Amino acid sequence: KAGVTQTPRYLIKTRGQQVTLSCSPISGHRSVSWYQQTPGQGLQFLFEYFSETQRNKGNFPGRFSGRQFSNSRSEMNVSTLELGDSALYLCASSDRDRDNEKLFFGSGTQLSVL
Amino acid sequence: QKEVEQDPGPLSVPEGAIVSLNCTYSNSAFQYFMWYRQYSRKGPELLMYTYSSGNKEDGRFTAQVDKSSKYISLFIRDSQPSDSATYLCAMSAPGGFKTIFGAGTRLFVKA
């Protein structure tokens, strides 16, 4: 079974630009979560989607948004990028419809904002 | 106060040592307790998964959950240089659709 795939692997943007990151979950997983990881703050929860519905959201500004498609693939978007948005963005899929909290992570997208 | 507290380390031990990693938490609704291992430039991978209280053993790894003290531990026996990584505790509540992570403890096992 293929793992969680995130694209692109690396991204360099400038302040004010916007960015879209993509995540393909493990086949059969309908829950996709997004996390931001920085050295100072660790792993911070962004949002979780299940069957195209956002079920929970972390404490991030509205510039961070996401969506999930009918095939469970997910995208997250960050608009008006700030220097502080530089981080590793991780996507995780899960079998949550069976009350299973095991998360399977992709390798992440390393975003650098200059 | 953070929901999950974990000492970031770093923790340095000689090969063969027993390693003890710990986390405390404040939310009594947490029922799922996990440990993830993360190597440099990789995503976290699930190491141990426990529901509610008790102990769980898998090879050289033992996870313990003490819900009365809101304290979880991961023990690594006969540590190897390949165990050098960041270890993250994680927890979630039923129906919460959100997993909270500790800051992660950086472990170095010296050959």
Side-chain angles (χ1 to χ4, degrees):
Chain A
K1 222 177 195 180
V4 177
T5 304
Q6 289 189 249
T7 56
R9 189 77 175 86
Y10 300 95
L11 210 47
I12 298 174
K13 293 285 187 179
T14 56
R15 279 188 308 172
Q17 287 187 308
Q18 75 164 22
V19 67
T20 299
L21 312 181
S22 180
C23 172
S24 292
I26 290 172
S27 177
H29 286 186
R30 290 191 287 165
S31 169
V32 173
S33 301
W34 287 90
Y35 287 84
Q36 180 195 67
Q37 187 174 33
T38 57
Q41 297 296 317
L43 269 157
Q44 300 291 309
F45 173 76
L46 281 155
F47 24 67
E48 190 260 7
Y49 288 89
F50 182 85
S51 291
E52 302 178 69
T53 299
Q54 186 183 90
R55 297 194 298 187
N56 207 339
K57 187 178 188 305
N59 297 322
F60 279 82
R63 302 184 296 108
F64 292 81
S65 62
R67 59 177 176 168
Q68 187 180 33
F69 302 97
S70 58
N71 61 359
S72 294
R73 192 177 71 84
S74 178
E75 288 181 347
M76 68 161 282
N77 183 277
V78 188
S79 62
T80 320
L81 283 166
E82 300 177 0
L83 295 178
D85 296 334
S86 294
L88 180 66
Y89 289 88
L90 290 160
C91 162
S93 76
S94 178
D95 206 3
R96 268 201 175 118
D97 51 337
R98 296 178 186 176
D99 201 27
N100 186 339
E101 291 296 307
K102 297 176 183 177
L103 297 179
F104 295 87
F105 284 87
S107 292
T109 294
Q110 183 67 55
L111 172 65
S112 297
V113 182
L114 308 178
Chain B
Q1 185 190 1
K2 289 186 176 182
E3 276 189 286
V4 180
E5 299 278 0
Q6 182 179 11
D7 186 340
L11 181 62
S12 184
V13 301
E15 184 176 357
I18 296 175
V19 176
S20 172
L21 305 168
N22 312 292
C23 287
T24 58
Y25 64 95
S26 57
N27 188 346
S28 57
F30 289 149
Q31 293 282 351
Y32 300 97
F33 302 92
M34 289 74 70
W35 287 94
Y36 287 82
R37 178 174 62 193
Q38 186 175 23
Y39 292 112
S40 182
R41 286 188 287 276
K42 295 282 188 182
E45 60 175 332
L46 183 65
L47 202 55
M48 300 291 281
Y49 176 85
T50 309
Y51 174 72
S52 195
S53 283
N55 296 357
K56 188 169 186 179
E57 190 173 318
D58 184 2
R60 296 183 297 111
F61 299 90
T62 300
Q64 290 184 349
V65 175
D66 181 350
K67 291 185 70 182
S68 61
S69 303
K70 296 192 177 67
Y71 187 89
I72 71 170
S73 302
L74 177 70
F75 298 95
I76 307 174
R77 290 182 299 280
D78 188 25
S79 56
Q80 303 295 309
S82 58
D83 295 328
S84 298
T86 297
Y87 290 80
L88 303 124
C89 64
M91 340 191 156
S92 63
F97 313 126
K98 177 170 83 168
T99 301
I100 305 297
F101 285 80
T105 300
R106 193 98 185 267
L107 172 68
F108 295 96
V109 181
K110 300 171 293 184

